[in-house]
Amino acid sequence: MTLHDSDVLVEQDEEVSDAVENDAAEPAAPVISTSERTLQAALDWHLRSARPVEAVTVVEQSTHDGAGADAVAEVSRRVDELDPELQQLAIELHDDPEIGFSERRSVARIADVLRRHGITAEIGAFGLPTAFRASAGPADGPHFALIAEYDALPGVGHACGHNIIAGAAVGAFLAAAPIAERLGARLSLIGTPAEENGGGKELILRAGGFDDVDAAGMVHPGAGSAVSPVLAPRTTGVRRVAVTYRGRAAHAAASPWLGRNALDAVVTAYQSVAQLRQHILPIDRVHGIITDGGAVPNVVPEQASALFYVRSAEIETLRALTDRVVDALRGAALATGTVAEIDVDPVPPYLPLQHNHELTRRWVQAVRDRGRAVPTSPVVQGQGGASTDMGNVSHYVPSLHPSIGLGGPDDVHPHNAAFAAHTIQPASFAALSDAAVALAVTAVDFLADPELRAEVAAEFAANGGRFRWTDSADE
């Protein structure tokens, strides 16, 4: 969605003209301004959060049978056999990082591992060159999708541990596929590009890649050795807002009065957003960078650009905060005599993650069986600060997205170069193995147990069922 100041002025003029023409007929409906709408969203959240907190009893244990002890033993044995290949895959991905939508060598390496075990991956699935899909079992059975990520971060490589995510997903798929086939169920491994910068999962959703999926799951690495509880912190949703200001070039010393400084507009916009932070909700975040500030100091910059990330833990407050940021960017253009070209959602928005607690209970039980300590859930669900396009999937199918610590220092978190280095240490390989087993067990439990599937589906329906951002888009 691209906005121009000129578009806004035309719309305002048309509204005034329409009001004059209709003045003699009947009173026009009151127009709700952006500021009123965003304030109402804040008030709604404030009233909800101000209610007394009641103690919440979280059910920590699943009561369903799942696939049984023999299936768990088979999965564990199979992952143990796969460990050398999974570790080598994680090392190769670490040593040759590729950013989003460029992960060709990464996908080829994953496909090679699958090929050695008789599985053919469809590379280029869903119209995306670096997406893939591999499946086992009949198309008409219950369907669980394991999710792999493998894109890296610019400059710091696999500092988000996507090499571990890929290794765990591949291991879980290869370990669980034979069981799924015997159950007459379907298990898929879906390779999703560009989690960091492009919303690959949302693009796959738009291509129908999850239409026949009954549940999905992946695991994300984290700092220290902790495993997320059943009631895990939610992530925020995120929208990107890019702005380019266009002014007029002039000699900065000889005739600056002839110029209109686009860099001044960017600086004004940045400061306006910084001032906005004082009055945003505790569940909100906004941050940005200047991506273009001009060429040389002695020319008044006629073009300058910035990029902002707008985050919130709820969908409506995410919309409201985006509106406020866009207003700030427009105001900067007015203040500096420049024209703002504002691009909202140059890549798909990411929705807040919606955990399916029954699926998470199965994961917790499986990872505890591997000897991992999992804390009990807090009374109140925490609010996370990061975002993931798995949030989009979680509003479309019941989803699992726990985290597992890689055994490194507690203060070395993802998006730090030191975290990337830790992903190829022995403790991280142990976490990869445990994650693969727990993911595989959760998948086969779901596929084997109709009562478990019914509870997972009922919880998802109680949370509103399938939802897409486009179901209630701004435009």
Side-chain angles (χ1 to χ4, degrees):
M1 178 176 67
T2 303
L3 309 172
H4 300 273
D5 283 350
S6 58
D7 296 335
V8 178
L9 293 174
V10 169
E11 290 170 6
Q12 290 174 338
D13 290 344
E14 290 173 350
E15 288 174 1
V16 172
S17 176
D18 291 344
V20 172
E21 292 177 3
N22 297 330
D23 187 50
E26 58 184 63
V31 177
I32 300 176
S33 68
T34 300
S35 61
E36 290 174 308
R37 188 168 65 251
T38 57
L39 179 59
Q40 187 60 53
L43 288 171
D44 291 344
W45 181 89
H46 178 77
L47 291 173
R48 289 196 305 274
S49 65
R51 294 171 186 151
V53 176
E54 298 180 359
V56 177
T57 301
V58 179
V59 177
E60 297 285 340
Q61 294 291 327
S62 173
T63 59
H64 299 287
D65 295 332
D70 289 345
V72 173
E74 181 179 344
V75 163
S76 297
R77 182 174 64 253
R78 183 70 173 134
V79 171
D80 287 345
E81 295 169 353
L82 291 166
D83 268 343
E85 289 181 86
L86 303 179
Q87 293 173 17
Q88 185 60 33
L89 175 62
I91 292 170
E92 291 178 2
L93 295 178
H94 169 274
D95 292 347
D96 186 17
E98 298 173 291
I99 62 172
F101 296 125
S102 300
E103 315 99 321
R104 288 174 173 80
R105 296 184 301 278
S106 301
V107 170
R109 289 186 171 101
I110 294 170
D112 284 345
V113 175
L114 296 173
R115 191 178 300 111
R116 290 197 294 269
H117 295 274
I119 301 291
T120 300
E122 177 193 352
I123 298 176
F126 319 111
L128 299 173
T130 56
F132 72 86
R133 174 174 51 194
S135 297
D140 58 350
H143 188 183
F144 193 99
L146 297 160
I147 308 301
E149 298 173 358
Y150 33 82
D151 61 314
L153 288 158
V156 289
H158 276 289
C160 204
H162 291 190
N163 55 329
I164 297 293
I165 294 173
V170 169
F173 176 77
L174 291 175
I179 301 174
E181 290 177 332
R182 294 199 301 269
L183 290 169
R186 188 165 183 82
L187 182 69
S188 290
L189 175 63
I190 298 179
T192 62
E195 187 277 335
E196 294 291 352
N197 69 335
K201 295 181 190 63
E202 172 61 24
L203 298 178
I204 292 172
L205 276 165
R206 294 177 185 180
F210 289 92
D211 286 356
D212 65 345
V213 172
D214 298 309
M218 60 171 287
V219 62
H220 201 291
S225 300
V227 177
S228 56
V230 170
L231 194 63
R234 290 190 297 172
T235 67
T236 57
V238 62
R239 302 179 78 181
R240 286 83 167 173
V241 181
V243 60
T244 294
Y245 292 96
R246 302 198 185 279
R248 188 174 189 273
H251 196 293
S255 53
W257 50 86
L258 297 178
R260 294 295 181 267
N261 195 318
L263 178 58
D264 282 351
V266 165
V267 171
T268 301
Y270 190 93
Q271 292 295 340
S272 298
V273 171
Q275 292 169 18
L276 177 65
R277 286 195 185 101
Q278 182 182 357
H279 302 287
I280 64 176
L281 299 173
I283 60 172
D284 292 347
R285 300 289 187 273
V286 59
H287 33 268
I289 60 169
I290 297 173
T291 56
D292 178 10
V296 291
N298 62 343
V299 175
V300 174
E302 65 179 341
Q303 176 177 309
S305 303
L307 176 64
F308 294 89
Y309 280 18
V310 180
R311 304 182 195 258
S312 190
E314 297 180 7
I315 291 172
E316 289 309 311
T317 52
L318 178 61
R319 293 188 196 283
L321 183 58
T322 304
D323 288 343
R324 296 177 73 187
V325 169
V326 168
D327 281 350
L329 303 186
R330 286 172 167 162
L334 182 63
T336 56
T338 58
V339 174
E341 297 175 359
I342 303 170
D343 190 2
V344 180
D345 301 329
V347 300
Y350 291 10
L351 300 184
L353 190 64
Q354 180 173 272
H355 297 278
N356 187 279
H357 294 140
E358 182 55 30
L359 281 178
T360 308
R361 290 184 194 104
R362 304 305 303 188
W363 150 269
V364 165
Q365 182 174 313
V367 82
R368 278 181 174 149
D369 288 345
R370 296 287 289 183
R372 296 264 169 180
V374 181
T376 56
S377 297
V379 172
V380 179
Q381 189 174 25
Q383 304 289 356
S387 307
T388 171
D389 57 0
M390 189 65 187
N392 300 44
V393 176
S394 74
H395 286 271
Y396 200 70
V397 299
S399 295
L400 171 74
H401 190 281
S403 66
I404 186 168
L406 298 186
D410 290 336
D411 61 348
V412 177
H413 291 267
H415 290 221
N416 181 305
F419 189 86
H422 191 75
T423 64
I424 55 172
Q425 300 302 313
S428 295
F429 294 148
L432 188 163
S433 180
D434 290 344
V437 170
L439 269 179
V441 169
T442 303
V444 298
D445 282 347
F446 178 86
L447 296 174
D449 191 330
E451 293 183 357
L452 171 60
R453 292 197 300 274
E455 182 167 345
V456 167
E459 180 185 329
F460 183 71
N463 285 327
R466 285 192 165 181
F467 171 85
R468 294 276 305 283
W469 179 266
T470 52
D471 290 344
S472 56
D474 301 79
E475 293 79 31

